[in-house]
Amino acid sequence: MSLSIGIVGLPNVGKSTLFNTLTKKQVEASNYPFCTIEPNVGMVTVPDERLEPLAKMSKSAKVVPTYIEFVDIAGLVKGANAGEGLGNQFLANIRECDAVLEVVRDFENSDIHHVDGKIDPDSDRETIDTELLLADMATMTKALERAEKDAKSNKKEEIRLRDVLRKVKEEMENGITVRNIELDKEDEKLIKQFNFLTAKPIIYVLNISDSKVEVDKAKWQKDTLELNIKLENEIASLSEEEQTEYIKELGLSESGLDKLVKKAYEILGLVSFLTTGPEETRAWTVKAGSSAPIAAGRIHTDIQEGFIRAEVINWQDLLNAGSEAAAREKGLIRTEGKDYIIQDGDVCHFLHSK
């Protein structure tokens, strides 16, 4: 399952440094606007504390985590929706992503130029959000023009599309992003075809340092993380053992980077199910709400097509039992059919006819 998160923000806010830290893939991160033009793409491991203990129990030959794709998109500037600063190209790159990670500068440093000449996180976030919304309004204008014409056919579905687009347009004109407009599931499906930028899930990363700038907390959504990107980059350059020790010294249970990757996975609406055995212990990604056959198809399409049933146990219950055989003896492994909805942390074995 290839789902991507686009890293966006004004120039010189730490986007490329964050990308380098996330992926350990060195792309240019220089101190001038538009250093990044073509989007850089990297696959990032999703931290999962369940894999190692399961692998140890199963004596697995290897451990295979799941991944998220991050895309480093060049800095946006005011007027991007009208093509300023290569804006059209950058907005097109965002449109191809499934979610947005917006980096906002929240530190003072006279050696690093700010494109607007001042450090104001609230204003920076408003600039980016406004550009995305204005780009959506341009998309909306074209979509609604077409819908108005099509609705003259008096077909029920065409009329409904026109009406929902009218509603969304009105909300947009009041500064409301698409993700924050109240729509029922059917209407959400109708407008999905237009791929509105502000419909995408979003995480805000406040790039902080010791010279942190105070922000208006009431304006920031729940999916906001404070991250000292420079410090995280230093931590990521250490060996795994040194990283663990340093994080403990800071009094933390995990790095800020790990928290970010987990949050990214969460906003994409994903869950992980697990398989374990002598050959490998592996995490598999599915959309939350996926049925057992859909999950089986992540392993192989033949398993989905020939699906008979799934044997399922929570990962912690399996560990507590000590082995699959012990879990069976205790009656902890359940048999589930085609309607079963996969839960995060399920350890699954699929029986199939192919």
Side-chain angles (χ1 to χ4, degrees):
M1 176 175 291
S2 179
L3 293 173
S4 62
I5 295 190
I7 305 176
V8 306
L10 295 175
N12 297 340
V13 297
K15 293 184 299 81
S16 293
T17 302
L18 176 59
F19 178 81
N20 290 343
T21 307
L22 279 165
T23 63
K24 297 183 177 62
K25 175 183 175 182
Q26 292 304 306
V27 295
E28 195 173 6
S30 302
N31 178 26
Y32 57 89
F34 312 122
C35 163
T36 309
I37 297 177
E38 291 299 326
N40 296 287
V41 179
M43 302 302 290
V44 179
T45 300
V46 178
D48 196 330
E49 67 282 356
R50 301 168 296 199
L51 294 175
E52 288 297 339
L54 284 172
K56 185 177 179 180
M57 181 201 73
S58 299
K59 297 181 174 58
S60 301
K62 62 180 179 178
V63 175
V64 184
T66 191
Y67 298 88
I68 300 180
E69 182 179 281
F70 282 87
V71 182
D72 179 28
I73 296 171
L76 290 166
V77 293
K78 193 175 292 184
N81 72 93
E84 293 294 328
L86 304 177
N88 291 332
Q89 180 181 343
F90 300 163
L91 290 168
N93 292 334
I94 298 170
R95 203 174 297 282
E96 293 172 2
C97 295
D98 299 285
V100 176
L101 191 165
E102 184 173 323
V103 181
V104 180
R105 180 172 170 177
D106 191 13
F107 65 89
E108 299 277 3
N109 187 328
S110 58
D111 293 331
I112 300 177
H113 174 70
H114 189 288
V115 70
D116 289 334
K118 62 177 181 176
I119 308 303
D120 186 342
D122 293 318
S123 175
D124 289 357
R125 192 194 75 161
E126 185 177 343
T127 294
I128 297 297
D129 289 354
T130 298
E131 291 305 318
L132 298 183
L133 189 58
L134 288 172
D136 275 354
M137 290 183 73
T139 301
M140 169 59 75
T141 298
K142 295 178 183 177
L144 187 54
E145 284 178 359
R146 176 64 183 269
E148 293 282 6
K149 292 178 182 177
D150 291 345
K152 292 177 181 177
S153 67
N154 287 324
K155 291 182 179 178
K156 186 177 178 181
E157 60 272 21
E158 302 292 357
I159 292 172
R160 179 164 185 171
L161 177 60
R162 178 203 63 193
D163 291 346
V164 70
L165 285 175
R166 283 177 176 176
K167 175 183 177 178
V168 172
K169 181 174 183 290
E170 183 178 345
E171 296 278 26
M172 280 183 177
E173 289 172 344
N174 290 323
I176 308 298
T177 57
V178 178
R179 77 179 69 87
N180 290 321
I181 298 173
E182 290 189 13
L183 298 170
D184 62 31
K185 294 293 182 184
E186 192 60 36
D187 287 346
E188 285 180 1
K189 287 180 182 178
L190 281 175
I191 66 167
K192 191 173 182 179
Q193 60 184 297
F194 303 109
N195 202 11
F196 291 118
L197 299 174
T198 65
K200 300 179 186 295
I202 190 166
I203 305 173
Y204 293 98
V205 171
L206 282 166
N207 186 10
I208 64 171
S209 70
D210 293 336
S211 58
K212 176 182 168 183
V213 179
E214 287 302 315
V215 299
D216 183 353
K217 292 182 179 179
K219 292 182 179 180
W220 296 82
Q221 298 178 0
K222 63 176 182 177
D223 290 321
T224 300
L225 292 175
E226 289 187 344
L227 205 65
N228 186 328
I229 294 175
K230 183 180 178 182
L231 176 61
E232 293 294 334
N233 193 35
E234 292 171 1
I235 293 173
S237 68
L238 302 173
S239 68
E240 286 191 20
E241 187 177 331
E242 289 173 322
Q243 286 184 42
T244 300
E245 190 60 35
Y246 191 15
I247 291 166
K248 283 182 179 177
E249 287 177 7
L250 293 173
L252 303 173
S253 59
E254 61 183 342
S255 71
L257 211 60
D258 284 351
K259 286 183 181 177
L260 173 60
V261 176
K262 288 179 179 178
K263 175 62 73 174
Y265 196 73
E266 178 187 315
I267 71 159
L268 284 170
L270 304 175
V271 297
S272 292
F273 72 93
L274 312 161
T275 54
T276 187
E279 185 177 330
E280 68 175 24
T281 292
R282 182 166 183 159
W284 303 85
T285 297
V286 291
K287 277 282 190 181
S290 294
S291 66
I294 295 295
R298 292 286 298 121
I299 299 173
H300 200 286
T301 53
D302 283 352
I303 304 177
Q304 180 175 356
E305 291 169 5
F307 179 91
I308 298 173
R309 62 183 182 276
E311 294 181 338
V312 182
I313 182 172
N314 174 266
W315 74 278
Q316 189 64 67
D317 290 341
L318 178 57
L319 276 182
N320 291 343
S323 69
E324 181 182 331
R328 286 187 185 282
E329 286 180 12
K330 294 177 181 180
L332 297 174
I333 298 180
R334 312 184 312 275
T335 297
E336 302 288 358
K338 292 182 178 181
D339 295 333
Y340 177 69
I341 301 301
I342 293 293
Q343 302 300 306
D344 189 62
D346 278 347
V347 179
C348 300
H349 175 65
F350 300 105
L351 286 83
H352 57 100
S353 60
K354 290 193 177 184

